Amino acid sequence: MAEETGDVFIDSHVAFLYASQTGNAESISYNLYEEAVKRGFNASWHVLDDHEKFGFNDLRTIVFVVSTTGDGDPPDNSARFWRILRKATRTNPTAYSHLRLAILGLGDTNYSNFCNTAQRLDKQLLGAGATAFYPKGLADDGTDLEEVVEPWIEGLWPALARVAQCKGSGDKEDVGCDAVSGSAAGEVDVTTDALDRLAVTGSTTDTVVDSLDTPVFQPLLLDFRPMATLSAISGAPRAPSPVCTASYVDTGKAGEDYRSRIAAMNSSFICPPWYTELTSAENSTEDSLQTPFLATIISTKKMTTASALKRTLLVELELPDAVAVNMQGSWHAGDAFNIFAPNDEHLVAALIKRLDVDVHDADRPILLQKKDPKIDLPAHLQRFLLASATLRDILTWAVDLCSMPRKQFIRVLSGHCSEAADRDRLLYLCSRQGTRLLEDLRRQSPTVLDILHAFPSCALPYTRLIELLSPLVPRSYSICNAPRERPNLWRIAFNVVEYELEVVDPFASVEDSAEDDTIASSTTNGGVPTTSMRINRKGVCTPWLEKLSHTIDKQHILIAKRPNLNGFYLPPSSPHHGIDPRPVIMVGPGTGVAPFIGFLEQRADEIEKTHISVMHTLPSTWLFFGCRSSTDDYLFRDQIEHHLDRKVLSRLSLCFSRDPVAREKMGASKYVQDAMLKHSDEIADLMLNQNALLYVCGDAKGMGKDVNEAMAGIICRYLNEHPEQIEQIIGELPKSKLPADPDAKQMSRVQALQLLMHWSSQKRYVRDLWA
């Protein structure tokens, strides 16, 4: 039971809640929950969208871990929670006066709305009476999440012990009921006599290839020579305790669930064996639109030439009749959907071999069990407590084999090494002294298999591996058509993600580059000759989709519509008021143009239905499109020119980043932000005086950031040339956004960025960005 101690309410329970798009926030939240239980707290762990199941409004003490996706949007698995939170705080300004909270936010400073989900959550809950028992932490994935996450977690436990009951031993004020010891007790210091014996060269393991002669893993280039001067390793994280075991299930007794899954699978159904569980999930009417379903790939077209730097494909998917009827009137141009894609089958096969699991055993059904009945399994593994699956299926569909390695994962690997050299190298890699080397490892984007092969004596049990890995999350793609004539058809355009990394090789000589075509010669900034190794990497979903396009039979894949949380769609026309009269500006280089093709289809359909004269009453539409070459990767050229000829598209500004001849011939710019600056006054007039709508779609770190800076410059320049408008513009900003000097006659960059954020809140500046 909860108790009062002086003026402090001591809760008998603490909830760890998360919202996660890629799995990072989920993993951190789970590790916190697991450690809290071991420290003696009565804890529970939930995703935010399950708020009704765990009774969110009745909780008194909560630790939130939330990430931010897109342009400051909350993760998909918190959409329902945000609706009830807004409703509760709007109707009752003291709705959460009973709540004590701590918030850890994950974000990326390459995006303008850094950690927006955590900031909004903090503002809304504190504004409704909640109090923070521990300061908010905001971690930056653009530098290193762990720089903030690790010290924030270290300080959480004593703070939590002051507000929640703990059955552990020790001084609450000092250690936060730290009842765990050994490898599970926070950071560790390791003194080892093996440090001076470590090899100082790279991995000597040969690259393994599969039966198709495709490299399955690549050697890692890691320089452990700085270890030779160390006498101890400090700051390595604790190794989380095992949480699950597994047992084989006799195929004959595996149950109807296993047999029905196997029977349902055939060569044309490329989806998780447990897809029937996903597609028949009991959802409310409001959320049934996000229930996964099987769609059919009916066509695939290559959109780029053979000489293009990237291959871009256009894929058409047909929705089942029942789904199309349910979706009628509920999907629009600008919407996106998730695709459930598997890990590469050859990578999975090689990993099974590296884990020393017999190939036949890998295809036997297993059930998972909790190792400690008080600790739940990670969310993506909980279905396997009741429904059997094979290890191959779990590695293929349930866990991410290509995500960035976390320190805790590396720490666990060190405890399963039979050779001291491998053990100590891994300890160093996750220690304070090994921070720079860990960055080198992450720059190589290693798979789990790459890491395991780099440390050959590591014998990690497969149960340990699957509980440590992040869930394999679906990949999101924008729909590039409007409902129009075929509301049962979704089109997507995407680049096949295959790329080459150049990693500095600390062991090869410059002369080696002349003998090995995988080595590229380079020089450092100081002019000292170095060599770099080429490493090939690829994505999870797009190479798989390309592979499916080469099959003869039509393939069925599992997809699910995403909620359009940021309002990335054109305002719909109405029978009484016709088409929204505001001008529309669209900025979409590369595949970022995809949703705008849908916008233009929608506008063409509205013109046809409302019989508007395009010469007189149609609101203007302006597209800024960029690509590398005017001939190799000008995507949707025919459609764009068709809409331009029909006046559905009023203006087109083209940009060619690697085609100077076309730039000079066509008067094009190099990048979309250059074209926007070229038309600075016109854009400013549209946005400031004509209430225009600005949509941006594409890469966040490069284009999205540059366009945002360009818009801030455009606003500053225009308003400083028209100072009479500054007072009016400032007057429209919320009071919290007012500048320090309201009488200032100059518009600063900070004020311009605040104005952009204000437009964003009004859905006048809407961005669909990805990393």
Side-chain angles (χ1 to χ4, degrees):
M1 294 179 59
E3 61 184 44
E4 298 283 347
T5 303
D7 294 331
V8 180
F9 173 80
I10 304 298
D11 203 347
S12 61
H13 172 260
V14 57
F16 290 85
L17 308 183
Y18 71 91
S20 182
Q21 193 71 26
T22 63
N24 279 339
E26 178 180 347
S27 178
I28 292 171
S29 177
Y30 180 80
N31 288 338
L32 287 173
Y33 152 74
E34 179 195 353
E35 183 165 351
V37 173
K38 291 190 174 296
R39 286 174 178 264
F41 292 99
N42 177 24
S44 62
W45 179 65
H46 309 278
V47 63
L48 280 176
D49 261 359
D50 283 347
H51 56 89
E52 291 182 353
K53 295 180 181 178
F54 61 79
F56 175 79
N57 290 332
D58 297 326
L59 297 176
R60 301 288 299 268
T61 307
I62 302 177
V63 178
F64 293 94
V65 183
V66 295
S67 64
T68 296
T69 185
D71 186 29
D73 303 317
D76 292 353
N77 58 11
S78 64
R80 293 195 297 262
F81 168 80
W82 279 102
R83 285 197 289 270
I84 67 104
L85 181 62
R86 284 192 295 266
K87 182 178 179 180
T89 54
R90 187 169 56 245
T91 56
N92 182 1
T94 60
Y96 296 104
S97 57
H98 60 283
L99 180 62
R100 287 91 53 80
L101 58 85
I103 297 176
L104 175 61
L106 311 185
D108 190 328
T109 47
N110 288 296
Y111 293 73
S112 57
N113 292 323
F114 174 64
C115 281
N116 191 51
T117 303
Q119 303 275 29
R120 284 179 57 201
L121 184 64
D122 184 59
K123 182 178 179 180
Q124 277 199 266
L125 289 175
L126 295 187
T131 57
F133 72 84
Y134 183 57
K136 175 173 74 254
L138 302 177
D140 181 13
D141 197 30
T143 53
D144 184 3
L145 289 175
E146 287 154 346
E147 288 181 1
V148 171
V149 172
E150 289 179 354
W152 189 89
I153 291 175
E154 185 178 352
L156 172 68
W157 303 119
L160 186 60
R162 290 190 284 269
V163 297
Q165 290 178 2
C166 178
K167 298 177 182 178
S169 60
D171 186 341
K172 290 185 180 183
E173 296 296 322
D174 292 336
V175 297
C177 292
D178 192 351
V180 292
S181 60
S183 65
E187 293 184 343
V188 297
D189 291 348
V190 179
T191 302
T192 172
D193 60 0
L195 291 177
D196 59 355
R197 299 200 312 267
L198 296 177
V200 294
T201 58
S203 171
T204 57
T205 308
D206 292 334
T207 300
V208 171
V209 297
D210 63 18
S211 58
L212 299 179
D213 293 329
T214 302
V216 177
F217 83 91
Q218 307 222 12
L220 300 176
L221 296 173
L222 298 172
D223 186 359
F224 289 94
R225 284 175 288 190
M227 290 182 66
T229 62
L230 297 178
S231 59
I233 296 172
S234 62
R238 75 171 183 88
S241 301
V243 297
C244 80
T245 60
S247 59
Y248 290 109
V249 180
D250 184 7
T251 305
K253 301 177 181 179
E256 188 60 32
D257 63 298
Y258 175 75
R259 289 193 293 273
S260 63
R261 290 172 186 175
I262 299 302
M265 299 302 291
N266 58 63
S267 60
S268 65
F269 283 76
I270 314 298
C271 54
W274 49 88
Y275 81 95
T276 53
E277 173 191 336
L278 300 173
T279 56
S280 62
E282 295 182 1
N283 292 320
S284 64
T285 303
E286 183 179 22
D287 295 309
S288 62
L289 296 175
Q290 276 81 58
T291 301
F293 59 89
L294 288 171
T296 306
I297 298 177
I298 59 174
S299 72
T300 303
K301 175 186 176 183
K302 189 176 179 181
M303 304 181 72
T304 49
T305 66
S307 56
L309 188 63
K310 297 181 179 179
R311 298 192 305 283
T312 305
L313 301 183
L314 179 69
V315 171
E316 289 189 339
L317 296 167
E318 186 176 57
L319 281 56
D321 292 341
V323 172
V325 170
N326 188 39
M327 290 276 185
Q328 192 168 6
S330 299
W331 75 269
H332 311 278
D335 281 341
F337 63 91
N338 288 327
I339 296 179
F340 293 76
N343 288 306
D344 181 83
E345 61 183 309
H346 304 296
L347 173 61
V348 171
L351 181 58
I352 289 170
K353 183 177 180 180
R354 174 61 183 82
L355 292 171
D356 199 25
V357 176
D358 182 83
V359 65
H360 300 293
D361 289 339
D363 292 315
R364 291 173 59 190
I366 59 175
L367 280 173
L368 302 183
Q369 297 89 31
K370 295 181 183 180
K371 199 172 184 69
D372 183 339
K374 295 183 295 183
I375 300 179
D376 291 331
L377 297 192
H380 59 290
L381 298 181
Q382 289 179 9
R383 63 166 48 93
F384 308 120
L385 291 168
L386 300 174
S388 58
T390 68
L391 175 61
R392 190 183 305 276
D393 288 336
I394 293 173
L395 293 175
T396 300
W397 293 100
V399 293
D400 192 341
L401 305 182
C402 302
S403 60
M404 288 294 178
R406 298 188 181 92
K407 284 187 176 181
Q408 281 192 321
F409 174 72
I410 295 172
R411 176 68 178 85
V412 171
L413 295 185
S414 70
H416 290 273
C417 293
S418 58
E419 297 290 336
D422 282 343
R423 179 199 67 200
D424 293 333
R425 285 181 171 192
L426 285 162
L427 281 171
Y428 174 75
L429 199 54
C430 64
S431 70
R432 290 195 189 99
Q433 293 85 353
T435 298
R436 181 171 294 181
L437 190 61
L438 180 61
E439 292 174 0
D440 291 341
L441 172 66
R442 288 172 172 168
R443 275 194 288 269
Q444 297 177 52
S445 300
T447 67
V448 171
L449 185 65
D450 295 336
I451 296 173
L452 289 176
H453 270 290
F455 303 95
S457 76
C458 180
L460 189 69
Y462 73 80
T463 52
R464 202 74 170 103
L465 177 69
I466 62 176
E467 70 185 27
L468 290 167
L469 294 177
S470 297
L472 181 60
V473 297
R475 270 47 176 179
S476 178
Y477 298 91
S478 297
I479 301 172
C480 59
N481 61 292
R484 294 187 67 182
E485 299 173 0
R486 295 191 63 183
N488 67 332
L489 184 72
W490 286 353
R491 295 190 185 97
I492 55 172
F494 56 85
N495 295 323
V496 179
V497 179
E498 294 177 343
Y499 56 98
E500 189 176 75
L501 297 173
E502 281 199 10
V503 182
V504 173
D505 186 349
F507 307 109
S509 64
V510 176
E511 290 75 13
D512 291 337
S513 62
E515 303 174 6
D516 188 346
D517 61 6
T518 66
I519 298 177
S521 180
S522 63
T523 56
T524 66
N525 291 336
V528 179
T530 63
T531 59
S532 59
M533 182 73 73
R534 297 188 183 97
I535 298 177
N536 295 312
R537 298 296 184 197
K538 64 179 182 178
V540 172
C541 188
T542 56
W544 173 67
L545 289 174
E546 182 182 39
K547 180 181 177 181
L548 293 184
S549 71
H550 297 150
T551 58
I552 299 175
D553 298 329
K554 290 183 178 179
Q555 302 292 332
H556 304 273
I557 62 174
L558 193 66
I559 67 175
K561 182 179 176 294
R562 287 192 64 191
N564 197 330
L565 298 176
N566 64 349
F568 197 88
Y569 50 79
L570 284 178
S573 60
S574 67
H576 301 293
H577 301 97
I579 298 175
D580 190 293
R582 292 174 290 182
V584 174
I585 304 170
M586 300 167 284
V587 183
T591 55
V593 75
F596 300 135
I597 301 303
F599 280 22
L600 295 173
E601 284 189 8
Q602 176 183 326
R603 182 54 57 88
D605 189 48
E606 291 171 341
I607 294 170
E608 184 178 337
K609 289 180 179 178
T610 54
H611 306 290
I612 292 178
S613 169
V614 297
M615 297 301 294
H616 301 289
T617 57
L618 186 64
S620 67
T621 52
W622 190 353
L623 174 63
F624 290 83
F625 171 68
C627 57
R628 290 178 176 81
S629 165
S630 61
T631 56
D632 292 338
D633 55 358
Y634 186 160
L635 307 181
F636 297 103
R637 181 169 190 158
D638 292 342
Q639 292 93 321
I640 291 172
E641 291 179 350
H642 171 73
H643 290 304
L644 194 62
D645 290 341
R646 294 186 59 201
K647 309 300 181 185
V648 174
L649 178 61
S650 309
R651 296 183 65 175
L652 173 64
S653 292
L654 292 171
C655 311
F656 303 114
S657 62
R658 302 188 185 182
D659 194 343
V661 175
R663 287 203 300 269
E664 183 175 354
K665 181 179 179 181
M666 303 171 69
S669 300
K670 188 172 184 178
Y671 300 113
V672 288
Q673 60 268 25
D674 299 333
M676 295 176 73
L677 292 170
K678 184 178 178 180
H679 299 286
S680 175
D681 288 346
E682 294 169 275
I683 292 175
D685 178 63
L686 287 169
M687 294 299 297
L688 292 165
N689 303 323
Q690 300 184 47
N691 202 32
L693 306 173
L694 173 59
Y695 298 89
V696 182
C697 183
D699 167 56
K701 293 186 178 181
M703 182 279 304
K705 201 170 184 178
D706 291 340
V707 166
N708 198 62
E709 287 295 324
M711 280 301 302
I714 287 169
I715 292 168
C716 287
R717 175 182 170 183
Y718 183 87
L719 287 178
N720 291 333
E721 291 177 356
H722 301 81
E724 69 279 0
Q725 291 186 239
I726 293 179
E727 184 177 353
Q728 177 189 348
I729 295 298
I730 290 178
E732 294 175 358
L733 290 174
K735 290 183 179 180
S736 61
K737 301 295 184 183
L738 288 177
D741 181 7
D743 298 322
K745 299 301 181 183
Q746 290 286 309
M747 193 74 174
S748 70
R749 174 183 171 275
V750 171
Q751 293 165 15
L753 291 172
Q754 290 173 341
L755 181 59
L756 287 172
M757 292 182 67
H758 180 55
W759 285 343
S760 180
S761 68
Q762 294 179 320
K763 304 302 182 185
R764 286 190 55 213
Y765 177 39
V766 191
R767 306 194 296 172
D768 183 7
L769 304 176
W770 57 79

